């Protein structure tokens, strides 16, 4: 259940009558890491919410947690998520809970394991031919999404995935695999951008304004606050 503080944020958002933006942080960061972003989006006319990640962890629990919070909003929000928060934001968008979504360095969902990642992280001690055979024989190819992430949902809304050129946690191959999954959606725009020189800390490090501006520009293309 959302905390009392989070419910206060919902009441405030509803009182303003403006379009909310719900920021979903990675569990390794504090919700307060979004405060500079909240100020920028607030100045642009949106009403920001920075709810905390639920204490019980996992992926399904946070999705239910944030869905409950969004259910209390009078207007459908835009979602901005980072890392695991980017995955949760996509899950929520796939359930029709967002008017637009930006997933920054999104944690990959199962089924996004490309051959390149398998070769680098799993089959790095064998030859190319054997690595190909192992990948084709044993790697899970995701006949359906176990996280409940529906990329083809007609009410998903426009989606932007943001990758960092120097991101070693969620490299381009992983972000692009998520993009290919989402780009199957025939109802809404799906875009991906790679920011030069940015790493996984791009939402909080000294270059955060560029990343924030990229997210805000995308949301403003589709949503009038």
């Amino acid at each position: 259940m959302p905390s009392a503080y989070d419910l206060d944020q919902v009441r405030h958002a509803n009182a303003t009558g403006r379009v909310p933006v719900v920021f979903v942080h990675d569990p390794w960061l504090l919700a307060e890491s979004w405060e500079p972003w909240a100020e920028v989006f607030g100045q642009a006319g949106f009403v920001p919410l920075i709810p905390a990640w639920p204490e019980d962890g996992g992926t399904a629990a946070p999705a239910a947690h944030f869905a409950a919070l969004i259910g209390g909003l009078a207007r459908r929000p835009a979602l901005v998520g980072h890392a695991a928060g980017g995955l949760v934001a996509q899950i929520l968008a796939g359930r029709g809970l967002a008017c637009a979504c930006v997933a920054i360095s999104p944690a990959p969902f199962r089924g996004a394991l490309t051959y390149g990642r398998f070769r680098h992280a799993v089959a790095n001690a064998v030859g190319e031919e054997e690595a190909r055979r192992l990948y084709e024989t044993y790697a899970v190819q995701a006949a359906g999404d176990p996280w409940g992430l529906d990329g083809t949902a007609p009410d998903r809304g426009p989606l932007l995935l943001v990758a960092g050129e120097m991101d070693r946690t969620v490299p381009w191959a992983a972000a692009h695999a998520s993009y290919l999954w989402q780009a199957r959606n025939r109802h809404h725009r799906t875009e991906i951008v790679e920011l030069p020189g940015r790493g996984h800390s791009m939402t909080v490090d000294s270059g955060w304004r560029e990343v924030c501006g990229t997210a805000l520009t995308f949301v403003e293309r589709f949503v009038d606050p």
Side-chain angles (χ1 to χ4, degrees):
M1 291 292 294
S3 68
Y5 174 71
D6 291 345
L7 292 175
D8 283 342
Q9 294 186 76
V10 170
R11 283 190 284 269
H12 170 71
N14 290 342
T16 68
R18 293 181 286 157
V19 174
V21 178
V22 177
F23 294 94
V24 187
H25 65 97
D26 185 80
W28 294 104
L29 293 173
L30 297 173
E32 288 77 11
S33 63
W34 287 120
E35 287 180 350
W37 288 61
E39 182 177 354
V40 171
F41 273 75
Q43 291 173 352
F46 297 93
V47 55
L49 292 85
I50 50 173
W53 192 271
E55 294 182 358
D56 49 356
T59 303
H65 170 80
F66 290 108
L69 181 141
I70 291 170
L73 291 170
R75 302 189 66 177
R76 192 165 58 151
L79 299 175
V80 179
H82 173 239
L87 172 58
V88 170
Q90 291 178 81
I91 293 171
L92 296 172
R95 296 177 183 176
L97 299 179
C99 58
C101 179
V102 179
I104 303 161
S105 293
F109 44 87
R110 294 175 186 173
L113 180 63
T114 65
Y115 170 72
R117 290 283 290 168
F118 181 84
R119 177 73 166 125
H120 175 76
V122 180
N124 59 302
V126 300
E128 186 72 20
E129 183 178 349
E130 183 176 4
R132 285 281 181 189
R133 179 179 60 80
L134 293 172
Y135 178 74
E136 293 170 1
T137 304
Y138 298 114
V140 176
Q141 297 303 314
D145 173 42
W147 294 127
L149 196 160
D150 186 358
T152 63
D155 52 356
R156 188 206 66 188
L159 170 67
L160 172 67
L161 294 100
V162 181
E165 178 191 19
M166 308 301 290
D167 194 335
R168 295 181 178 177
T169 303
V170 184
W172 170 258
H176 191 255
S178 296
Y179 164 75
L180 292 176
W181 177 271
Q182 292 281 13
R184 301 173 306 147
N185 193 301
R186 297 177 299 170
H187 308 280
H188 297 282
R189 294 280 298 179
T190 305
E191 300 179 7
I192 187 170
V193 61
E194 183 181 42
L195 299 183
R198 307 311 319 157
H200 195 65
S201 65
M202 68 175 109
T203 61
V204 293
D205 63 27
S206 58
W208 72 269
R209 288 184 181 274
E210 176 192 8
V211 191
C212 181
T214 300
L216 177 59
T217 298
F218 180 81
V219 172
E220 288 181 321
R221 282 169 54 194
F222 302 97
V223 183
D224 183 357

